[in-house]
Amino acid sequence: MSDAPKHTPRVFSGVQPSGELTLGNYLGAVKRFVELQDGGMETIYCVVDLHAITTWQEPSELADATRQVTAAFLACGLDPKRSILFNQSQVPAHAELAWVFNCVARLGWLNRMTQFKDKAGKNRENASAGLYVYPNLMAADILVYRGTHVPVGEDQKQHLELARDIAQKFNNDFGRPDFFPLCEPLIGGPAPRVMSLRDGTKKMSKSDPSDMSRINLTDDADAIANKIRRARTDPEPLPDTLEALEARPEARNLVGIYSALAGTDLEEVLAEFAGQGFGAFKPRLAELAVSHLTPITAEMNRLMADPAEIDRILGDGANRAAEIAEPILAETYDVVGFLRSR
Ligand code: AMP
Ligand code: TRP
């Protein structure tokens, strides 16, 4: 039984303020957020600071990291008039619905989450309880708005399946088939999975210990060019077919980044560069990356010079977000059977 038509289409997504945004965040997520502003659906984008503290964040840096992600959103083209932009901790309904979902999701479901296994590492006993229930909070983020469409990179697919399972189980348990929508992932932007520049089998990540593994949105032209020049590759020239690229993860990644930035498909990039070595390809890629990213970086720097304006935008977004979330949370509490006497 699909209840999609019963819910107004609404886009929701989130990004953690746990380090500088990377080219992976840009190509896998934020670029798509911007395009969706013109897609006729209401768009809500959240800086998920509650998620960030599931691993240690220096308190003196967290507020600034939250402003940085907001500045990146704005610099990439999100418009606070057309989208709701805010940080999660300013809307308490997220944490409140997450508690209900902690009681809906099953331990067996959470035990299957690969991101928890990756992030907790070997010392699982020492991971925070928050890191374990992280996907329940993510489901609450989306469903407290009855979000129907969720643009994310490929690494979040499993979490979104869990969000659907939570919605479905809530609806079944409480006998309300259409209460929460079964939200749909929108994966497959220009580059749903950008890999590390040092290891083509690992995703590019803001939390990677090596800064050379990623391009940050705050890197200047020299840093970008240097990182691309030193990116790991193999000695072979670029092939003329996609199949030949599959077994060469580093080459595949650089070609993928090129095609995403240029807005062309992989085949076209190969048609242009087949037979050439990385000595020829890398400078062209660096040039393309620099021309795309430098205006974004400059705009981020301009915005960061006025933190009060960023705070105002987030505060305004939080008020608008709360207006949507609070009635949905209240309805949820009624369905659960919580007593309300005021
Ligand atoms: P995070 O930085 O983990 O909060 O991720 C924010 C968004 O960026 C999510 O939608 C991720 O799926 C996406 N993302 C993060 N890293 C990458 C990457 N290397 N390639 C593609 N998308 C990514
Ligand atoms: N877990 C997501 C990530 O790390 C961030 C996130 C939190 C999110 N809540 C969300 C993404 C809700 C989409 C919808 O990338």
Side-chain angles (χ1 to χ4, degrees):
M1 177 172 19
S2 165
D3 47 3
K6 300 213 168 56
H7 295 282
T8 314
R10 185 176 275 157
V11 174
F12 183 94
S13 196
V15 175
Q16 299 191 58
S18 53
E20 305 203 36
L21 286 201
T22 69
L23 185 65
N25 295 125
Y26 175 62
L27 295 176
V30 184
K31 204 159 181 281
R32 198 81 188 289
F33 297 178
V34 176
E35 289 159 10
L36 283 163
Q37 277 186 142
D38 300 316
M41 291 189 260
E42 186 174 14
T43 44
I44 307 178
Y45 299 119
C46 183
V47 185
V48 290
D49 46 10
L50 300 176
H51 276 105
I53 66 160
T54 57
T55 58
W56 174 251
Q57 302 299 321
E58 210 46 57
S60 61
E61 290 167 15
L62 184 58
D64 212 48
T66 300
R67 291 190 188 107
Q68 279 263 359
V69 173
T70 311
F73 277 1
L74 297 167
C76 291
L78 290 182
D79 173 359
K81 292 198 188 68
R82 284 187 291 161
S83 292
I84 296 181
L85 307 179
F86 71 107
N87 60 311
Q88 196 183 22
S89 61
Q90 292 207 70
V91 181
H94 290 239
E96 293 171 297
L97 184 62
W99 178 257
V100 175
F101 287 173
N102 284 342
C103 303
V104 172
R106 306 289 92 183
L107 287 183
W109 301 357
L110 293 173
N111 285 337
R112 287 195 282 276
M113 295 296 115
T114 56
Q115 182 172 297
F116 174 77
K117 293 177 199 166
D118 291 345
K119 285 203 179 177
K122 288 197 185 71
N123 195 0
R124 202 175 292 183
E125 297 285 308
N126 197 38
S128 72
L131 188 64
Y132 190 66
V133 293
Y134 173 119
N136 299 343
L137 176 59
M138 181 164 160
D141 294 339
I142 303 162
L143 295 174
V144 85
Y145 302 96
R146 294 203 166 105
T148 55
H149 294 80
V150 188
V152 282
E154 204 162 81
D155 60 323
Q156 295 303 312
K157 192 167 173 224
Q158 196 184 32
H159 287 160
L160 283 179
E161 281 159 9
L162 189 91
R164 287 170 69 96
D165 289 344
I166 288 175
Q168 180 87 70
K169 181 162 164 58
F170 182 97
N171 295 352
N172 289 346
D173 286 355
F174 293 97
R176 297 287 300 265
D178 301 320
F179 194 79
F180 286 121
L182 305 182
C183 48
E184 274 181 49
L186 298 177
I187 299 174
R193 197 163 165 75
V194 177
M195 309 310 279
S196 157
L197 299 179
R198 309 301 307 166
D199 177 350
T201 63
K202 269 184 19 194
K203 76 163 183 172
M204 181 180 285
S205 163
K206 42 170 120 101
S207 56
D208 192 297
S210 164
D211 190 59
M212 291 303 285
S213 70
R214 61 177 163 265
I215 292 172
N216 304 306
L217 292 189
T218 51
D219 285 345
D220 62 19
D222 287 346
I224 295 172
N226 185 37
K227 286 176 179 180
I228 291 178
R229 192 166 48 243
R230 296 183 48 193
R232 188 168 151 192
T233 42
D234 53 47
E236 304 295 316
L238 284 164
D240 53 7
T241 64
L242 280 182
E243 295 73 51
L245 211 51
E246 289 312 320
R248 299 169 60 187
E250 281 84 15
R252 164 78 183 71
N253 189 37
L254 295 185
V255 172
I257 293 173
Y258 191 103
S259 88
L261 287 171
T264 55
D265 48 34
L266 295 167
E267 287 89 344
E268 284 176 70
V269 182
L270 290 183
E272 188 177 347
F273 290 100
Q276 301 188 36
F278 286 98
F281 179 69
K282 281 178 166 181
R284 294 284 301 280
L285 176 59
E287 205 178 298
L288 186 63
V290 166
S291 71
H292 262 74
L293 299 182
T294 14
I296 295 178
T297 313
E299 179 62 2
M300 278 176 72
N301 291 338
R302 193 187 69 77
L303 292 162
M304 283 302 282
D306 188 359
E309 174 60 9
I310 296 183
D311 296 1
R312 192 198 59 73
I313 290 172
L314 291 175
D316 177 59
N319 290 334
R320 287 158 62 206
E323 266 175 43
I324 304 173
E326 278 166 10
I328 296 175
L329 180 72
E331 231 188 294
T332 310
Y333 272 20
D334 287 342
V335 168
V336 170
F338 289 148
L339 173 70
R340 264 202 290 168
S341 51
R342 59 187 163 81

